[in-house]
Amino acid sequence: MDIVDLVKSRDPNEREFHQAVAEVIESIKPVLDRNPEFRSANIVERIVEPERVIMFRVPWMDDEGDVHVNRGFRIEMNSAIGPYKGGLRFHPSVNLGILKFLAFEQVFKNALTSLAMGGGKGGSDFDPKGKSDAEVQRFCQSFMLELSRHIGPDTDIPAGDIGVGAREIGYLFGMYKKVRNEFTGVLTGKGLNWGGSLIRPEATGYGSVYFAAEMLAAKGDSLEGKKSLVSGSGNVAQFTMEKLIELGSIPVTFSDSSGYIYDEKGVDREKLDYIMELKNVRRGRVSAYAEKYPEAVYIPVDPEADHNPLWDHVAHCAFPSATQNEINEKDAANLVKNGVLVVSEGANMPTTPEGVDTFLDHDILYGPGKAANAGGVSVSGLEMSQNSMRLGWTRAEVDERLQMIMKNIHKTCLDTAEQYGTPFNYVNGANIAGFAKVAQAMIDQGVV
Ligand code: NDP
Ligand code: 2IT
């Protein structure tokens, strides 16, 4: 049976997981032809099956004394090249299929970083939005009470993702430390004065911009003076805008799940400081930006629309940094029509398969998430190294390593795409290079 059909028949409801698997399988066919041992060891069927799936009940009490129950998950996908590593997502949409897609992507992403990290992902359908700090704390403590049995600094090292930032990592770490009686690097994204690394908060956004700069440089171009469309307004979007501004590009959009802002004049340093305060301290909505800066317009989401108007503004660059499947075929066609040169995915799988085909058919420089957003997990890997050594590197040192890693990932993808006869196809480059590394490690370690 075809492997994608097999995956679908085993778990018919896991749509996002099917999508992520289908994309990788499509890319790696030529690798399997060149390496018959991958076929004889049945690597593909093994790699699409998580090594372990943990699901648990997370009961917690709200401020009124009412008891709620959420679902907790951790997908330990693949440990061929290192301990499981990947973020935790707290969002009401979270289910097994979404976390399996994210864990699957993480396996190849982590392989591309050149650091020793396997792939995992976890989270909960808990919605931190509108909850008090005390409620978030009680939820995180209940979640970690169970998760702590399954993770460890040499086993499985979670981090942040949507809905899990510095505050949540703090509460999770506190409970882990208490129940295990261990102060270790079991989570990354920790606070700076208790084991965190400089540049980890910035890393995903900065990395995605570095990756775009590399793609443009490969064509003799740069980000300077170029307009950029950014989606999202969370961790990744904020630091994407920060680095874009620093490199002379002009971010003109950003969004949340209720709508988006178009600021024709561009977001500058002062406006970005406002966004950071609005989102991170006040936990507000992006609509407030248009009240503060009347030159900007706020466009609410139209649930009936067949496309996202954010992607229909004229710009040279696009940085989807919110969530999966936020660029469909029509959005991709609009970007192409308006002259986009480069798309660098800060989010995981933000483009639908039809959207990806549209970019590739039009020779757009398209950096898929597992390459373009690998900066976050890379600096998580550097945080683990610093924790193991019990010392910390300077901001400049970590940033330099991050830049080097993103350059390497870019070169690996470019060279691999070229070797397989599809120059500048970063999708093939990333999937093939990531897969080959993990597959070889699985063969070396036997049938386990
Ligand atoms: P945050 O929670 O900090 O921000 C998420 C942003 O995306 C918010 O603006 C949120 O809006 C918006 N968003 C979330 N879900 C949806 C949705 N269903 N529809 C529309 N908008 C949505 O998360 P991050 O910035 O950390 O993550 C953003 C993306 O980057 C995700 O795809 C994540 O997997 C990926 N990523 C993150 C890394 C990291 O280090 N944090 C590393 C690599 C990838 P609202 O406030 O309305 O929910
Ligand atoms: O998708 C991702 O790479 C992340 N959310 C970051 C994972 C990590 O372990 O830092």
Side-chain angles (χ1 to χ4, degrees):
M1 193 194 255
D2 174 82
I3 195 74
V4 179
D5 291 338
L6 178 71
V7 166
K8 285 184 179 167
S9 70
R10 276 194 180 149
D11 298 296
N13 299 323
E14 298 177 355
R15 193 171 48 84
E16 291 84 359
F17 182 52
H18 306 159
Q19 183 183 333
V21 168
E23 186 205 278
V24 170
I25 297 300
E26 176 67 30
S27 286
I28 62 171
K29 281 183 183 141
V31 194
L32 300 176
D33 294 340
R34 285 191 198 181
N35 299 275
E37 69 278 17
F38 291 168
R39 280 218 168 90
S40 53
N42 207 4
I43 293 296
V44 174
E45 193 173 334
R46 288 159 63 191
I47 218 166
V48 298
E49 191 63 20
E51 289 180 15
R52 191 175 298 106
V53 172
I54 302 148
M55 265 179 81
F56 49 98
R57 180 174 71 184
V58 189
W60 59 279
M61 201 178 274
D62 68 20
D63 291 343
E64 269 67 58
D66 292 330
V67 175
H68 301 266
V69 177
N70 284 97
R71 274 197 176 159
F73 305 86
R74 186 73 183 165
I75 317 295
E76 295 182 337
M77 198 75 195
N78 193 297
S79 62
I81 64 167
Y84 310 107
K85 179 83 195 91
L88 296 171
R89 177 176 290 192
F90 291 170
H91 193 272
S93 64
V94 161
N95 59 38
L96 203 49
I98 287 184
L99 293 181
K100 277 174 69 181
F101 118 64
L102 288 162
F104 185 71
E105 291 280 294
Q106 199 82 44
V107 172
F108 306 101
K109 182 195 304 191
N110 293 4
L112 288 171
T113 65
S114 74
L115 306 174
M117 299 182 289
K121 199 88 187 189
S124 174
D125 57 2
F126 173 75
D127 187 359
K129 231 178 272 157
K131 305 288 189 303
S132 70
D133 263 4
E135 288 171 334
V136 170
Q137 178 170 161
R138 286 194 292 274
F139 175 81
C140 287
Q141 291 179 337
S142 179
F143 182 87
M144 184 50 90
L145 214 45
E146 175 60 34
L147 188 68
S148 62
R149 304 168 199 264
H150 310 286
I151 61 175
D154 295 314
T155 311
D156 184 351
I157 306 92
D161 193 79
I162 291 177
V164 178
R167 172 181 64 170
E168 290 75 16
I169 294 292
Y171 296 147
L172 292 164
F173 184 80
M175 185 49 100
Y176 181 87
K177 182 169 59 94
K178 184 179 169 97
V179 294
R180 298 286 290 255
N181 196 23
E182 277 174 12
F183 194 113
T184 60
V186 66
L187 293 162
T188 58
K190 298 185 291 297
L192 279 182
N193 48 4
W194 43 277
S197 173
L198 287 159
I199 300 286
R200 176 60 190 90
E202 293 88 339
T204 310
Y206 279 17
S208 157
V209 176
Y210 292 149
F211 198 85
E214 286 299 311
M215 289 194 283
L216 285 165
K219 295 280 190 184
D221 205 344
S222 84
L223 282 165
E224 181 143 19
K226 295 205 166 48
K227 277 194 183 170
S228 292
L229 306 178
V230 178
S231 66
S233 52
N235 171 268
V236 178
Q238 290 172 21
F239 289 105
T240 294
M241 290 194 275
E242 181 166 287
K243 187 51 76 177
L244 285 172
I245 295 167
E246 210 180 297
L247 296 183
S249 171
I250 307 137
V252 290
T253 62
F254 60 93
S255 67
D256 59 25
S257 52
S258 315
Y260 79 94
I261 292 285
Y262 175 63
D263 185 343
E264 199 185 7
K265 295 219 166 70
V267 176
D268 59 16
R269 180 69 251 181
E270 183 231 304
K271 290 170 170 175
L272 181 59
D273 286 341
Y274 171 78
I275 298 170
M276 288 178 163
E277 201 263 337
L278 172 71
K279 297 306 289 185
N280 308 343
V281 182
R282 284 195 275 145
R283 298 189 186 269
R285 311 299 295 160
V286 300
S287 52
Y289 181 97
E291 289 157 29
K292 167 109 178 144
Y293 300 106
E295 67 267 33
V297 284
Y298 172 69
I299 295 101
V301 166
D302 171 4
E304 304 294 309
D306 62 353
H307 71 290
N308 181 350
L310 185 156
W311 304 118
D312 199 8
H313 291 281
V314 175
H316 307 101
C317 319
F319 292 88
S321 311
T323 193
Q324 62 273 2
N325 292 327
E326 52 168 318
I327 296 182
N328 65 20
E329 188 174 13
K330 196 154 184 196
D331 298 319
N334 282 336
L335 284 162
V336 170
K337 173 194 79 188
N338 289 327
V340 81
L341 299 171
V342 62
V343 180
S344 189
E345 294 185 336
N348 284 304
M349 207 169 74
T351 310
T352 64
E354 300 77 21
V356 174
D357 288 344
T358 304
F359 292 142
L360 296 179
D361 289 348
H362 290 86
D363 294 326
I364 306 301
L365 294 168
Y366 167 69
K370 61 172 82 69
N373 72 37
V377 75
S378 297
V379 176
S380 278
L382 300 180
E383 183 172 327
M384 290 161 67
S385 304
Q386 294 169 81
N387 291 162
S388 298
M389 292 188 296
R390 299 191 190 283
L391 51 82
W393 292 323
T394 63
R395 197 180 154 86
E397 218 167 332
V398 181
D399 195 21
E400 209 167 288
R401 284 176 194 269
L402 169 63
Q403 288 186 54
M404 215 167 62
I405 290 170
M406 295 315 295
K407 259 185 205 278
N408 273 336
I409 296 175
H410 175 266
K411 187 168 178 343
T412 301
C413 294
L414 199 63
D415 291 351
T416 308
E418 175 85 36
Q419 275 163 27
Y420 280 81
T422 54
F424 286 98
N425 183 327
Y426 290 93
V427 177
N428 282 347
N431 286 336
I432 292 173
F435 173 78
K437 180 171 176 183
V438 177
Q440 190 55 55
M442 289 173 74
I443 296 219
D444 294 346
Q445 293 170 28
V447 180
V448 289

